[in-house]
Amino acid sequence: PSCCLCVCVHRRESGGAFHITQGPRELTISNGSRLEGNSAGSDGGAFFFMTRVRSVLITNNSIVAGNSARQAGGAFCFSPYTSEDPNEGPGIIHNFIITSGSSVSHNVADRGGAIYAGRVGSMIISDGSALVSNAASEYGGAVAACTVDLLAIEANSTISNNSAVEVGGALAVDRLNDLVLLNSSLSNNTAQAS
């Protein structure tokens, strides 16, 4: 069965639907579930994590769309704010996976239209999935992070039509260690500044 977590609003704080300071370490959105229309007055339109997270899995035709945050992470914010070193602090997401026909789209924020993190271990978009049409009024149309160790776009998947006013139409990262693009597309992402 599918599930919908739609239209939760937290006007002044972080985490429109969830503000998590301890656990869970894994989040799965599956079987046609929808995470839509949530908003936060600060960070993390849908989810705000102040803890290290092992994995976020969006799978089996699930949708994360139309979420917004005034500051960072339109849909997801993995907050690095509580540590001086974003590579060691709670803002770490080890695995962020969008797979099996799922999509993350039309999310908006100042920084990281869909996702904001200190460090991302691996971000995998596979099996006909999409990270599309997200927007940032500053940087990182889809994703803003200090470090991404691996970005893999595989098996007819796409990162496209994301936009940022400043830099990083698709991604704004200080360090990207490995990029894999296999039978997929990275296209039509735009940033006004270079």
Side-chain angles (χ1 to χ4, degrees):
S2 65
C3 177
C4 178
L5 181 58
C6 305
V7 194
C8 297
V9 178
H10 203 287
R11 297 194 187 281
R12 295 187 184 168
E13 299 294 332
S14 300
F18 290 93
H19 181 111
I20 300 168
T21 55
Q22 294 183 356
R25 298 298 176 140
E26 298 179 0
L27 171 64
T28 301
I29 301 167
S30 66
N31 297 325
S33 295
R34 299 183 344 248
L35 182 64
E36 296 180 307
N38 302 288
S39 64
S42 185
D43 304 318
F47 281 90
F48 178 82
F49 292 93
M50 287 192 72
T51 182
R52 186 181 299 222
V53 179
R54 283 191 201 103
S55 70
V56 171
L57 174 62
I58 304 164
T59 187
N60 296 328
N61 301 303
S62 294
I63 297 168
V64 175
N67 301 286
S68 64
R70 285 195 183 151
Q71 294 181 18
F76 301 94
C77 181
F78 304 92
S79 175
Y81 301 141
T82 57
S83 173
E84 291 181 13
D85 183 352
N87 293 319
E88 298 299 326
I92 296 174
I93 170 69
H94 292 282
N95 299 294
F96 196 103
I97 302 165
I98 307 166
T99 190
S100 302
S102 297
S103 64
V104 175
S105 67
H106 299 95
N107 301 288
V108 296
D110 285 350
R111 300 174 297 281
I115 302 159
Y116 182 91
R119 183 178 194 132
V120 179
S122 61
M123 178 170 286
I124 300 168
I125 297 122
S126 66
D127 298 322
S129 296
L131 180 60
V132 297
S133 301
N134 300 286
S137 60
E138 293 180 20
Y139 56 85
V143 179
C146 293
T147 302
V148 175
D149 292 324
L150 167 67
L151 172 62
I153 312 159
E154 306 170 327
N156 297 309
S157 297
T158 186
I159 296 179
S160 61
N161 300 311
N162 299 287
S163 63
V165 171
E166 295 177 6
V167 297
L171 285 86
V173 296
D174 293 332
R175 181 175 178 175
L176 174 61
N177 292 327
D178 289 297
L179 172 64
V180 175
L181 182 62
L182 182 62
N183 194 29
S184 294
S185 66
L186 180 60
S187 61
N188 298 317
N189 300 288
T190 59
Q192 293 180 19
S194 57

